[in-house]
């Protein structure tokens, strides 16, 4: 999330004009202080007026490229020098969602990627075992592409001991999926659940959608179901083995 405070009327009018020229859709929301609200598939912008100070604030939430673009627009209008803004994303021939399951290093880690057009938005963490299996079957029925990565706790520890975090595993996995399709002549567009981690470099057509990605993107929703189901299955297999 980015938040600009104490913008004057001239600055905020310039921001609104710029957003309209870029084709952002203006929507409406009941709030006494809300001056304008813009929405796109990449994020949301809200502009508020502070009557006591006669100033404005702008709040933007969305993918990291989206927030960076809005940040640059406002800073440029304020007269600050900024780097040229790269286009948000180019159109992908296949849309893929990525999500992981397994927070603790003592748990198996499962990273799932899925392209499942028409998949319903569900919260995998809220589903019981039977419901989870139902949506797993649906993911395979609708899936154009599904790929899962599993790491045992033993291997997770080895990776962690070498200084790598779970988010880096997810990022590397996503890059490899991207490279796989590019080598086959297909342009992928990959959405990853969560905020862009510190230290991760931006890559064309890999977009972090922010928290709650399962509720924003059908492909991430499917990936979340697949990852959660596989992790639970691996934990059950381990109990049987023990």
């Amino acid at each position: 999330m980015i938040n600009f405070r104490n913008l004057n009327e001239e600055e905020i009018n310039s921001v609104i004009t710029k957003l309209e020229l870029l084709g952002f859709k203006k929507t409406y929301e009941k709030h006494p202080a809300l001056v304008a609200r813009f929405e796109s598939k990449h994020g949301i912008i809200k502009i508020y007026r502070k009557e006591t100070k006669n100033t404005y604030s702008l709040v933007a939430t969305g993918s990291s490229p989206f927030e960076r673009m809005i940040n640059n627009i406002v800073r440029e209008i304020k007269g600050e020098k900024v780097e040229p803004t790269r286009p948000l994303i180019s159109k992908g021939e296949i849309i893929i969602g990525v999500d992981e399951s397994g927070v603790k290093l003592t748990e198996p880690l499962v990273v799932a990627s899925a392209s499942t057009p028409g998949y319903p938005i569900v919260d995998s963490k809220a589903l019981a075992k039977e419901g989870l299996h139902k949506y797993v079957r649906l993911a395979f029925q609708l899936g154009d592409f599904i790929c899962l990565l599993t790491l045992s706790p033993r291997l997770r520890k080895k990776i962690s001991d070498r200084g790598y975090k779970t988010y880096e595993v997810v990022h590397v996995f996503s890059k490899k999926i991207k490279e796989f399709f590019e080598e086959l002549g297909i342009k992928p567009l990959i959405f990853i659940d969560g905020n862009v981690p510190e230290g991760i470099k931006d890559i064309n057509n890999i977009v972090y959608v922010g928290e709650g990605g399962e509720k924003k993107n059908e492909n991430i929703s499917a990936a979340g179901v697949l990852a959660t189901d596989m992790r639970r299955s691996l934990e059950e297999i381990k109990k049987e083995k023990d």
Side-chain angles (χ1 to χ4, degrees), residues 27-38:
T27 60
Y28 297 92
E29 182 178 303
K30 290 184 178 179
H31 191 290
L34 190 66
V35 174
R37 182 183 190 274
F38 292 89

Side-chain angles (χ1 to χ4, degrees), residues 9 28-29 51 64-65 70 85 93 135-136 139 142 155 188 192 202 207 219 227 229 233:
E9 188 171 3
Y28 297 92
E29 182 178 303
E51 292 188 5
S64 53
I70 302 304
T85 302
E93 294 178 85
Y135 284 106
V136 167
L142 297 174
L155 185 53
I192 303 176
D202 188 37
V207 179
N219 304 290
D229 181 74
S233 296

Side-chain angles (χ1 to χ4, degrees), residues 80-223:
E80 300 177 23
K81 187 176 180 180
V82 298
E83 295 294 325
T85 302
R86 197 190 69 197
L88 282 178
I89 50 176
S90 58
K91 186 176 180 180
E93 294 178 85
I94 182 169
I95 312 299
I96 298 167
V98 176
D99 200 2
E100 86 279 359
S101 183
V103 177
K104 301 176 183 177
L105 290 178
T106 54
E107 298 175 322
L109 173 67
V110 180
V111 187
S113 58
S115 179
T116 51
Y119 194 83
I121 299 294
V122 295
D123 182 359
S124 64
K125 299 175 184 65
L127 292 172
K129 183 177 180 180
E130 296 74 17
L132 205 57
H133 289 339
K134 170 188 170 183
Y135 284 106
V136 167
R137 288 177 61 85
L138 184 60
F140 280 102
Q141 288 171 357
L142 297 174
D144 288 331
F145 166 78
I146 289 172
C147 181
L148 289 91
L149 167 74
T150 68
L151 297 178
S152 68
R154 182 174 63 255
L155 185 53
R156 288 190 74 177
K157 185 177 184 306
K158 184 177 290 187
I159 292 170
S160 175
D161 288 345
R162 297 183 182 183
Y164 295 97
K165 307 294 185 183
T166 297
Y167 68 78
E168 292 174 295
V169 174
V170 174
H171 193 74
V172 170
F173 174 77
S174 302
K175 286 198 300 181
K176 295 304 178 184
I177 295 296
K178 176 176 179 286
E179 292 167 7
F180 169 79
F181 279 105
E182 288 175 341
E183 290 198 21
L184 296 175
I186 297 174
K187 184 184 291 183
L189 174 55
I190 299 175
F191 293 105
I192 303 176
D193 184 29
N195 298 314
V196 59
E198 186 177 351
I200 291 294
K201 293 183 179 179
D202 188 37
I203 296 176
N204 284 325
N205 283 26
I206 291 184
V207 179
Y208 286 84
V209 302
E211 296 299 329
E214 278 191 86
K215 299 178 182 178
K216 299 176 183 178
N217 182 283
E218 60 186 13
N219 304 290
I220 292 178
S221 193

